[in-house]
Amino acid sequence: VSHQLIVDHGNITTQKIRLVCGTQQIARIDREQPPSAVAIAALRENFEAEVQDVEFVIFSDYAKGALRELPQLIAIARKYGRKTLVDPKLADPEFYRDAFILKPNESEFRALFGAFSEETLIEKAMTALDKYNLGHILLTRGPKGMLLVSSDKKVFSLPTEAIEVFDVSGAGDTVAAAFSLSIVAGVPVDDAVAVSNVAAGVAVAHLGTYVVTRHDIEERLGLNAPGGQKILSNAALAAQIAARRANGAKIVFTNGCFDILHSGHVRALVAARQEGEILVVALNTDDSVRRLKGPTRPVNCFSDRAEVIAALGCVNYVTGFSEDTPYDLIKLIQPDVLVKGGDYSEDKIIGADIVKGCGGRVVSVAFHEGYSSTRILEKILAP
Protein backbone atom coordinates (compact mmCIF):
# COMPACT_ATOMS: atom_id res chain seq x y z
CA VAL A 1 0.00 0.00 0.00
CA SER A 2 1.49 3.29 -1.07
CA HIS A 3 0.14 6.69 -0.08
CA GLN A 4 0.35 10.37 -0.94
CA LEU A 5 -0.91 11.97 2.25
CA ILE A 6 -1.68 15.69 2.32
CA VAL A 7 -0.47 17.38 5.50
CA ASP A 8 -2.76 20.25 6.52
CA HIS A 9 -0.50 22.36 8.73
CA GLY A 10 -2.30 24.08 11.58
CA ASN A 11 -5.21 21.62 11.46
CA ILE A 12 -6.00 18.71 13.79
CA THR A 13 -6.23 15.04 12.92
CA THR A 14 -9.85 13.87 13.02
CA GLN A 15 -10.56 11.73 16.09
CA LYS A 16 -13.46 9.31 16.51
CA ILE A 17 -14.30 7.98 19.95
CA ARG A 18 -16.89 5.21 20.17
CA LEU A 19 -18.77 4.64 23.41
CA VAL A 20 -19.51 0.93 23.68
CA CYS A 21 -21.40 -1.08 26.29
CA GLY A 22 -20.78 -4.79 25.78
CA THR A 23 -21.26 -5.26 22.04
CA GLN A 24 -23.60 -2.28 21.64
CA GLN A 25 -22.28 1.05 20.35
CA ILE A 26 -24.11 3.82 22.20
CA ALA A 27 -22.59 6.94 20.69
CA ARG A 28 -19.65 8.32 18.74
CA ILE A 29 -17.81 11.54 19.53
CA ASP A 30 -15.88 13.21 16.70
CA ARG A 31 -13.23 15.91 17.12
CA GLU A 32 -12.54 17.55 13.79
CA GLN A 33 -12.28 20.72 11.73
CA PRO A 34 -12.61 21.19 7.96
CA PRO A 35 -9.44 21.12 5.83
CA SER A 36 -7.95 24.36 4.57
CA ALA A 37 -8.20 25.63 1.01
CA VAL A 38 -4.45 25.04 0.60
CA ALA A 39 -4.85 21.36 1.54
CA ILE A 40 -7.81 20.93 -0.84
CA ALA A 41 -5.81 22.43 -3.72
CA ALA A 42 -2.88 20.10 -2.96
CA LEU A 43 -5.27 17.14 -2.83
CA ARG A 44 -6.64 17.98 -6.28
CA GLU A 45 -3.15 18.34 -7.78
CA ASN A 46 -1.89 15.10 -6.23
CA PHE A 47 -5.03 13.27 -7.31
CA GLU A 48 -4.60 14.19 -10.96
CA ALA A 49 -0.98 13.05 -10.86
CA GLU A 50 -1.79 9.72 -9.15
CA VAL A 51 -5.04 8.77 -10.92
CA GLN A 52 -3.21 8.18 -14.20
CA ASP A 53 -1.47 5.14 -12.68
CA VAL A 54 -4.52 3.39 -11.19
CA GLU A 55 -7.47 1.42 -12.58
CA PHE A 56 -10.24 2.27 -10.14
CA VAL A 57 -10.98 5.07 -7.66
CA ILE A 58 -12.99 4.90 -4.42
CA PHE A 59 -14.29 8.18 -3.01
CA SER A 60 -15.37 7.66 0.59
CA ASP A 61 -17.27 10.86 1.40
CA TYR A 62 -17.80 11.37 5.12
CA ALA A 63 -18.96 14.96 4.48
CA LYS A 64 -16.04 16.27 6.56
CA GLY A 65 -14.85 18.64 3.84
CA ALA A 66 -11.94 16.81 2.22
CA LEU A 67 -14.10 15.92 -0.78
CA ARG A 68 -15.88 19.25 -1.16
CA GLU A 69 -14.47 19.40 -4.73
CA LEU A 70 -15.71 15.88 -5.54
CA PRO A 71 -17.39 16.86 -8.86
CA GLN A 72 -14.01 18.12 -10.11
CA LEU A 73 -12.28 14.93 -8.91
CA ILE A 74 -14.84 12.73 -10.67
CA ALA A 75 -14.31 14.80 -13.84
CA ILE A 76 -10.54 14.25 -13.58
CA ALA A 77 -11.03 10.50 -13.17
CA ARG A 78 -13.32 10.42 -16.21
CA LYS A 79 -10.78 12.39 -18.26
CA TYR A 80 -8.33 9.53 -17.81
CA GLY A 81 -10.96 6.82 -18.29
CA ARG A 82 -10.94 5.67 -14.66
CA LYS A 83 -14.03 4.12 -13.07
CA THR A 84 -15.20 5.52 -9.76
CA LEU A 85 -17.16 4.27 -6.78
CA VAL A 86 -18.63 6.89 -4.44
CA ASP A 87 -19.88 6.28 -0.91
CA PRO A 88 -22.18 9.31 -0.51
CA LYS A 89 -23.05 11.36 2.56
CA LEU A 90 -24.35 14.68 1.18
CA ALA A 91 -28.03 14.91 0.31
CA ASP A 92 -27.25 16.44 -3.09
CA PRO A 93 -27.40 13.99 -6.01
CA GLU A 94 -25.88 16.55 -8.39
CA PHE A 95 -22.71 16.36 -6.29
CA TYR A 96 -22.26 12.73 -7.41
CA ARG A 97 -23.06 13.14 -11.12
CA ASP A 98 -21.10 10.91 -13.54
CA ALA A 99 -19.97 8.39 -10.89
CA PHE A 100 -19.61 4.87 -12.27
CA ILE A 101 -21.06 3.38 -9.06
CA LEU A 102 -22.96 5.18 -6.31
CA LYS A 103 -23.15 3.13 -3.11
CA PRO A 104 -25.70 4.59 -0.67
CA ASN A 105 -27.43 2.85 2.21
CA GLU A 106 -31.20 3.20 2.53
CA SER A 107 -31.16 6.40 4.57
CA GLU A 108 -28.63 7.99 2.19
CA PHE A 109 -30.73 6.90 -0.81
CA ARG A 110 -33.81 8.59 0.71
CA ALA A 111 -31.85 11.77 1.40
CA LEU A 112 -30.60 11.84 -2.18
CA PHE A 113 -33.65 10.74 -4.16
CA GLY A 114 -36.65 10.94 -1.82
CA ALA A 115 -38.87 8.47 0.01
CA PHE A 116 -39.62 5.13 -1.61
CA SER A 117 -41.61 1.95 -1.11
CA GLU A 118 -40.59 -1.54 -2.16
CA GLU A 119 -42.78 -1.06 -5.23
CA THR A 120 -41.18 2.24 -6.29
CA LEU A 121 -37.56 1.63 -5.28
CA ILE A 122 -36.29 0.22 -8.59
CA GLU A 123 -38.13 2.82 -10.66
CA LYS A 124 -36.68 5.61 -8.50
CA ALA A 125 -33.19 4.17 -8.89
CA MET A 126 -33.60 3.89 -12.68
CA THR A 127 -34.69 7.54 -12.85
CA ALA A 128 -31.66 8.62 -10.81
CA LEU A 129 -29.29 6.65 -13.05
CA ASP A 130 -30.58 8.43 -16.15
CA LYS A 131 -30.84 11.90 -14.60
CA TYR A 132 -27.34 11.97 -13.06
CA ASN A 133 -25.51 9.82 -15.62
CA LEU A 134 -24.60 7.09 -13.14
CA GLY A 135 -23.45 3.63 -14.21
CA HIS A 136 -24.85 1.67 -11.27
CA ILE A 137 -26.51 2.24 -7.91
CA LEU A 138 -25.40 -0.33 -5.34
CA LEU A 139 -27.84 -0.05 -2.44
CA THR A 140 -26.87 -1.64 0.87
CA ARG A 141 -29.99 -2.50 2.87
CA GLY A 142 -28.76 -3.99 6.13
CA PRO A 143 -30.84 -7.08 6.98
CA LYS A 144 -32.54 -6.84 3.55
CA GLY A 145 -29.26 -7.51 1.75
CA MET A 146 -28.05 -5.61 -1.31
CA LEU A 147 -29.59 -4.33 -4.54
CA LEU A 148 -27.74 -3.40 -7.74
CA VAL A 149 -29.60 -1.36 -10.36
CA SER A 150 -27.68 -0.66 -13.56
CA SER A 151 -27.99 1.88 -16.37
CA ASP A 152 -28.57 -0.99 -18.84
CA LYS A 153 -31.81 -1.68 -16.90
CA LYS A 154 -30.52 -4.82 -15.20
CA VAL A 155 -31.51 -5.42 -11.57
CA PHE A 156 -29.68 -7.81 -9.24
CA SER A 157 -30.81 -8.45 -5.66
CA LEU A 158 -29.16 -10.50 -2.94
CA PRO A 159 -30.35 -11.39 0.57
CA THR A 160 -28.02 -10.60 3.44
CA GLU A 161 -25.08 -12.95 4.06
CA ALA A 162 -24.87 -11.96 7.73
CA ILE A 163 -25.21 -15.03 9.95
CA GLU A 164 -25.05 -12.98 13.14
CA VAL A 165 -24.48 -9.26 13.68
CA PHE A 166 -22.22 -7.89 16.42
CA ASP A 167 -21.15 -4.54 15.00
CA VAL A 168 -21.96 -2.82 11.70
CA SER A 169 -19.00 -0.42 11.98
CA GLY A 170 -17.07 -0.44 8.72
CA ALA A 171 -19.55 -2.64 6.86
CA GLY A 172 -20.08 -0.03 4.13
CA ASP A 173 -16.34 0.38 3.67
CA THR A 174 -15.97 -3.40 3.43
CA VAL A 175 -18.59 -3.51 0.66
CA ALA A 176 -16.85 -0.71 -1.24
CA ALA A 177 -13.43 -2.36 -0.95
CA ALA A 178 -14.54 -5.90 -1.84
CA PHE A 179 -16.71 -4.72 -4.74
CA SER A 180 -14.00 -2.49 -6.22
CA LEU A 181 -11.27 -5.11 -5.85
CA SER A 182 -13.51 -7.65 -7.61
CA ILE A 183 -14.15 -5.26 -10.51
CA VAL A 184 -10.43 -4.56 -10.91
CA ALA A 185 -9.78 -8.33 -10.91
CA GLY A 186 -12.13 -8.69 -13.88
CA VAL A 187 -15.11 -10.16 -12.03
CA PRO A 188 -18.52 -9.42 -13.64
CA VAL A 189 -20.54 -6.77 -11.81
CA ASP A 190 -23.18 -9.21 -10.49
CA ASP A 191 -20.49 -11.51 -9.08
CA ALA A 192 -18.69 -8.50 -7.57
CA VAL A 193 -21.89 -7.67 -5.69
CA ALA A 194 -22.07 -11.26 -4.43
CA VAL A 195 -18.47 -11.15 -3.19
CA SER A 196 -18.99 -7.82 -1.42
CA ASN A 197 -22.21 -9.11 0.13
CA VAL A 198 -20.29 -12.07 1.58
CA ALA A 199 -17.50 -9.77 2.80
CA ALA A 200 -20.02 -7.55 4.60
CA GLY A 201 -21.58 -10.59 6.25
CA VAL A 202 -18.16 -11.54 7.61
CA ALA A 203 -17.37 -8.00 8.78
CA VAL A 204 -20.51 -7.46 10.85
CA ALA A 205 -20.01 -10.78 12.67
CA HIS A 206 -17.02 -9.25 14.51
CA LEU A 207 -16.93 -6.62 17.22
CA GLY A 208 -15.37 -3.37 16.00
CA THR A 209 -14.03 -2.79 12.52
CA TYR A 210 -12.68 -6.02 11.03
CA VAL A 211 -10.32 -6.61 8.11
CA VAL A 212 -11.95 -9.27 5.93
CA THR A 213 -9.43 -11.61 4.33
CA ARG A 214 -9.51 -13.64 1.13
CA HIS A 215 -9.64 -16.77 3.32
CA ASP A 216 -12.73 -15.41 5.14
CA ILE A 217 -14.56 -14.95 1.84
CA GLU A 218 -13.56 -18.31 0.38
CA GLU A 219 -14.51 -20.08 3.59
CA ARG A 220 -17.95 -18.44 3.62
CA LEU A 221 -18.49 -19.20 -0.06
CA GLY A 222 -17.72 -22.82 0.70
CA LEU A 223 -20.74 -22.88 3.03
CA ASN A 224 -23.12 -22.05 0.18
CA ALA A 225 -24.92 -25.24 -0.87
CA PRO A 226 -25.08 -26.83 -3.33
CA GLY A 227 -22.13 -24.93 -4.79
CA GLY A 228 -23.84 -23.39 -7.80
CA GLN A 229 -21.46 -20.43 -7.79
CA LYS A 230 -18.66 -22.88 -8.60
CA ILE A 231 -20.27 -24.33 -11.75
CA LEU A 232 -19.21 -22.24 -14.75
CA SER A 233 -19.19 -22.32 -18.52
CA ASN A 234 -15.80 -22.65 -20.17
CA ALA A 235 -15.73 -18.92 -21.02
CA ALA A 236 -16.73 -17.81 -17.51
CA LEU A 237 -14.17 -20.20 -16.03
CA ALA A 238 -11.40 -18.75 -18.21
CA ALA A 239 -12.21 -15.25 -16.93
CA GLN A 240 -12.21 -16.39 -13.31
CA ILE A 241 -8.93 -18.27 -13.76
CA ALA A 242 -7.31 -15.20 -15.33
CA ALA A 243 -8.32 -13.11 -12.33
CA ARG A 244 -7.17 -15.73 -9.82
CA ARG A 245 -3.85 -16.19 -11.60
CA ALA A 246 -3.30 -12.41 -11.63
CA ASN A 247 -3.56 -12.56 -7.84
CA GLY A 248 -0.84 -15.22 -7.66
CA ALA A 249 -2.97 -18.38 -7.37
CA LYS A 250 -1.61 -21.68 -8.73
CA ILE A 251 -4.26 -23.38 -10.90
CA VAL A 252 -4.72 -27.18 -10.69
CA PHE A 253 -6.78 -29.07 -13.29
CA THR A 254 -8.19 -32.58 -13.33
CA ASN A 255 -11.00 -34.24 -15.25
CA GLY A 256 -13.21 -37.31 -15.39
CA CYS A 257 -16.76 -38.66 -15.63
CA PHE A 258 -17.33 -38.83 -11.86
CA ASP A 259 -20.57 -40.69 -12.55
CA ILE A 260 -21.02 -42.25 -9.10
CA LEU A 261 -18.90 -40.41 -6.54
CA HIS A 262 -16.92 -42.72 -4.26
CA SER A 263 -14.06 -42.45 -1.78
CA GLY A 264 -11.47 -43.10 -4.50
CA HIS A 265 -12.67 -39.99 -6.29
CA VAL A 266 -12.64 -37.93 -3.10
CA ARG A 267 -9.11 -38.99 -2.15
CA ALA A 268 -7.84 -38.13 -5.62
CA LEU A 269 -9.52 -34.69 -5.56
CA VAL A 270 -8.19 -33.90 -2.10
CA ALA A 271 -4.70 -34.85 -3.26
CA ALA A 272 -5.10 -32.70 -6.39
CA ARG A 273 -6.18 -29.67 -4.35
CA GLN A 274 -2.97 -29.91 -2.33
CA GLU A 275 -0.98 -29.13 -5.49
CA GLY A 276 -2.17 -25.50 -5.64
CA GLU A 277 -4.65 -22.85 -4.51
CA ILE A 278 -7.43 -23.37 -7.09
CA LEU A 279 -8.75 -26.77 -8.18
CA VAL A 280 -10.73 -26.97 -11.42
CA VAL A 281 -12.64 -30.19 -12.14
CA ALA A 282 -13.81 -30.74 -15.72
CA LEU A 283 -16.62 -33.26 -16.24
CA ASN A 284 -17.46 -35.15 -19.44
CA THR A 285 -20.91 -34.12 -20.66
CA ASP A 286 -23.53 -36.85 -20.90
CA ASP A 287 -22.93 -37.47 -24.64
CA SER A 288 -19.19 -37.64 -24.00
CA VAL A 289 -19.70 -40.22 -21.24
CA ARG A 290 -21.95 -42.34 -23.48
CA ARG A 291 -19.29 -42.45 -26.19
CA LEU A 292 -16.69 -43.55 -23.63
CA LYS A 293 -18.74 -45.85 -21.38
CA GLY A 294 -21.63 -47.10 -23.51
CA PRO A 295 -25.36 -46.33 -23.91
CA THR A 296 -26.30 -47.14 -20.28
CA ARG A 297 -24.03 -44.45 -18.87
CA PRO A 298 -23.98 -41.99 -17.24
CA VAL A 299 -26.23 -43.04 -14.40
CA ASN A 300 -26.31 -39.42 -13.17
CA CYS A 301 -26.81 -36.53 -15.60
CA PHE A 302 -24.23 -33.76 -15.98
CA SER A 303 -26.05 -31.20 -13.79
CA ASP A 304 -26.35 -33.71 -10.94
CA ARG A 305 -22.71 -34.78 -11.21
CA ALA A 306 -21.57 -31.14 -11.30
CA GLU A 307 -23.65 -30.27 -8.23
CA VAL A 308 -22.16 -33.13 -6.21
CA ILE A 309 -18.56 -32.30 -7.19
CA ALA A 310 -19.08 -28.57 -6.54
CA ALA A 311 -20.29 -29.34 -3.01
CA LEU A 312 -16.85 -30.72 -2.10
CA GLY A 313 -14.82 -28.25 -0.09
CA CYS A 314 -11.58 -29.05 -1.97
CA VAL A 315 -13.09 -28.06 -5.34
CA ASN A 316 -13.12 -24.42 -6.45
CA TYR A 317 -14.66 -24.61 -9.94
CA VAL A 318 -16.53 -27.17 -12.05
CA THR A 319 -17.02 -27.05 -15.80
CA GLY A 320 -17.87 -29.46 -18.61
CA PHE A 321 -16.45 -30.55 -21.95
CA SER A 322 -18.36 -32.27 -24.75
CA GLU A 323 -15.36 -33.69 -26.63
CA ASP A 324 -13.86 -37.10 -25.86
CA THR A 325 -10.90 -35.39 -24.16
CA PRO A 326 -10.44 -32.04 -22.37
CA TYR A 327 -7.52 -31.05 -24.64
CA ASP A 328 -9.16 -27.85 -25.95
CA LEU A 329 -10.26 -26.85 -22.45
CA ILE A 330 -6.74 -27.35 -21.08
CA LYS A 331 -5.42 -25.22 -23.94
CA LEU A 332 -7.94 -22.50 -22.99
CA ILE A 333 -7.12 -22.18 -19.28
CA GLN A 334 -3.49 -23.44 -19.33
CA PRO A 335 -3.35 -24.79 -15.74
CA ASP A 336 -0.14 -24.71 -13.72
CA VAL A 337 -0.62 -28.31 -12.59
CA LEU A 338 -2.37 -31.14 -14.47
CA VAL A 339 -3.45 -34.04 -12.25
CA LYS A 340 -4.60 -37.55 -13.15
CA GLY A 341 -4.89 -40.82 -11.27
CA GLY A 342 -1.82 -43.02 -10.87
CA ASP A 343 -3.22 -45.55 -13.38
CA TYR A 344 -2.24 -43.11 -16.17
CA SER A 345 1.38 -42.83 -17.33
CA GLU A 346 2.48 -39.32 -18.24
CA ASP A 347 2.64 -40.07 -21.98
CA LYS A 348 -1.04 -41.08 -21.82
CA ILE A 349 -2.23 -37.94 -19.96
CA ILE A 350 -4.13 -35.66 -22.34
CA GLY A 351 -2.87 -32.07 -22.25
CA ALA A 352 0.49 -32.88 -20.65
CA ASP A 353 2.27 -31.28 -23.61
CA ILE A 354 0.35 -28.01 -23.15
CA VAL A 355 0.99 -27.75 -19.43
CA LYS A 356 4.68 -28.66 -19.63
CA GLY A 357 5.11 -26.33 -22.61
CA CYS A 358 3.90 -23.46 -20.39
CA GLY A 359 6.31 -24.39 -17.61
CA GLY A 360 3.75 -26.30 -15.55
CA ARG A 361 3.80 -29.74 -13.93
CA VAL A 362 2.01 -33.04 -14.58
CA VAL A 363 1.21 -35.00 -11.41
CA SER A 364 -0.08 -38.56 -10.98
CA VAL A 365 -1.86 -38.99 -7.65
CA ALA A 366 -2.21 -42.34 -5.91
CA PHE A 367 -4.63 -44.78 -7.56
CA HIS A 368 -6.92 -46.56 -5.09
CA GLU A 369 -7.45 -50.10 -6.31
CA GLY A 370 -10.98 -51.47 -6.17
CA TYR A 371 -12.85 -48.17 -6.37
CA SER A 372 -14.77 -47.35 -9.55
CA SER A 373 -18.27 -46.40 -10.67
CA THR A 374 -18.34 -49.55 -12.86
CA ARG A 375 -17.64 -51.85 -9.88
CA ILE A 376 -20.31 -50.14 -7.80
CA LEU A 377 -22.86 -50.67 -10.56
CA GLU A 378 -21.84 -54.32 -10.95
CA LYS A 379 -22.30 -54.81 -7.23
CA ILE A 380 -25.73 -53.17 -7.32
CA LEU A 381 -26.88 -55.27 -10.28
CA ALA A 382 -25.42 -58.55 -9.04
CA PRO A 383 -28.11 -61.18 -8.24
Side-chain angles (χ1 to χ4, degrees), residues 37-233:
V38 173
I40 295 300
L43 175 62
R44 183 177 62 251
E45 292 172 8
N46 277 28
F47 177 75
E48 181 150 16
E50 293 294 321
V51 76
Q52 300 175 51
D53 297 324
V54 303
E55 295 181 52
F56 199 97
V57 180
I58 299 174
F59 293 112
S60 191
D61 183 13
Y62 284 82
K64 306 296 188 183
L67 291 183
R68 60 177 177 254
E69 292 190 357
L70 181 59
Q72 294 96 311
L73 299 181
I74 292 175
I76 291 170
R78 283 172 60 84
K79 181 172 73 171
Y80 294 105
R82 305 304 186 245
K83 293 178 179 178
T84 56
L85 181 147
V86 183
D87 203 338
K89 287 292 182 291
L90 293 182
D92 178 7
E94 194 64 45
F95 195 66
Y96 304 110
R97 174 178 289 277
D98 296 331
F100 176 62
I101 300 158
L102 190 68
K103 192 199 72 62
N105 59 30
E106 285 196 333
S107 61
E108 291 161 351
F109 186 94
R110 288 191 184 92
L112 285 165
F113 308 121
F116 64 88
S117 64
E118 292 297 317
E119 292 74 23
T120 62
L121 172 57
I122 293 174
E123 180 183 356
K124 191 172 284 288
M126 291 285 190
T127 300
L129 289 167
D130 291 339
K131 185 174 182 180
Y132 300 105
N133 195 35
L134 305 171
H136 309 269
I137 291 177
L138 178 56
L139 180 61
T140 56
R141 311 190 68 193
K144 298 177 186 175
M146 297 171 63
L147 175 71
L148 179 76
V149 184
S150 303
S151 56
D152 61 2
K153 309 304 179 186
K154 290 183 180 178
V155 177
F156 182 58
S157 180
L158 279 175
T160 182
E161 283 282 347
I163 297 174
E164 53 185 345
V165 178
F166 282 103
D167 193 340
V168 297
S169 301
D173 293 337
T174 299
V175 169
F179 182 88
S180 302
L181 182 60
S182 299
I183 293 294
V184 170
V187 175
V189 173
D190 288 2
D191 290 340
V193 174
V195 170
S196 60
N197 193 36
V198 170
V202 173
V204 300
H206 295 80
L207 183 60
T209 53
Y210 177 77
V211 179
V212 178
T213 68
R214 170 179 169 175
H215 175 74
D216 289 330
I217 294 175
E218 290 182 343
E219 184 176 54
R220 183 67 66 88
L221 286 173
L223 297 177
N224 291 344
Q229 76 284 348
K230 299 181 180 180
I231 304 170
L232 302 175
S233 67

Side-chain angles (χ1 to χ4, degrees), residues 95-373:
F95 195 66
Y96 304 110
R97 174 178 289 277
D98 296 331
F100 176 62
I101 300 158
L102 190 68
K103 192 199 72 62
N105 59 30
E106 285 196 333
S107 61
E108 291 161 351
F109 186 94
R110 288 191 184 92
L112 285 165
F113 308 121
F116 64 88
S117 64
E118 292 297 317
E119 292 74 23
T120 62
L121 172 57
I122 293 174
E123 180 183 356
K124 191 172 284 288
M126 291 285 190
T127 300
L129 289 167
D130 291 339
K131 185 174 182 180
Y132 300 105
N133 195 35
L134 305 171
H136 309 269
I137 291 177
L138 178 56
L139 180 61
T140 56
R141 311 190 68 193
K144 298 177 186 175
M146 297 171 63
L147 175 71
L148 179 76
V149 184
S150 303
S151 56
D152 61 2
K153 309 304 179 186
K154 290 183 180 178
V155 177
F156 182 58
S157 180
L158 279 175
T160 182
E161 283 282 347
I163 297 174
E164 53 185 345
V165 178
F166 282 103
D167 193 340
V168 297
S169 301
D173 293 337
T174 299
V175 169
F179 182 88
S180 302
L181 182 60
S182 299
I183 293 294
V184 170
V187 175
V189 173
D190 288 2
D191 290 340
V193 174
V195 170
S196 60
N197 193 36
V198 170
V202 173
V204 300
H206 295 80
L207 183 60
T209 53
Y210 177 77
V211 179
V212 178
T213 68
R214 170 179 169 175
H215 175 74
D216 289 330
I217 294 175
E218 290 182 343
E219 184 176 54
R220 183 67 66 88
L221 286 173
L223 297 177
N224 291 344
Q229 76 284 348
K230 299 181 180 180
I231 304 170
L232 302 175
S233 67
N234 291 177
L237 173 65
Q240 290 288 336
I241 292 304
R244 293 293 192 127
R245 181 173 281 127
N247 286 327
K250 184 182 294 183
I251 311 303
V252 183
F253 179 97
T254 192
N255 67 278
C257 299
F258 295 96
D259 192 4
I260 299 176
L261 190 67
H262 51 71
S263 57
H265 287 145
V266 174
R267 292 171 190 171
L269 292 173
V270 170
R273 178 64 173 77
Q274 293 171 351
E275 297 294 331
E277 286 77 37
I278 301 297
L279 175 59
V280 176
V281 179
L283 302 181
N284 297 72
T285 60
D286 293 347
D287 286 342
S288 178
V289 174
R290 274 189 284 271
R291 290 195 300 271
L292 294 173
K293 303 287 187 179
T296 62
R297 301 283 295 276
V299 174
N300 293 300
C301 67
F302 175 82
S303 60
D304 288 347
R305 289 182 285 127
E307 183 176 315
V308 170
I309 295 296
L312 297 176
C314 61
V315 175
N316 297 95
Y317 297 114
V318 179
T319 193
F321 62 96
S322 57
E323 302 81 8
D324 289 346
T325 75
Y327 191 83
D328 290 341
L329 179 57
I330 293 171
K331 185 186 297 184
L332 175 67
I333 68 171
Q334 297 184 3
D336 302 291
V337 184
L338 177 60
V339 174
K340 285 295 286 184
D343 51 335
Y344 285 83
S345 59
E346 186 172 309
D347 62 316
K348 294 289 196 304
I349 297 178
I350 299 297
D353 57 327
I354 298 171
V355 174
K356 294 180 74 175
C358 295
R361 296 185 297 116
V362 178
V363 175
S364 294
V365 297
F367 176 70
H368 300 280
E369 194 68 44
Y371 293 96
S372 74
S373 298

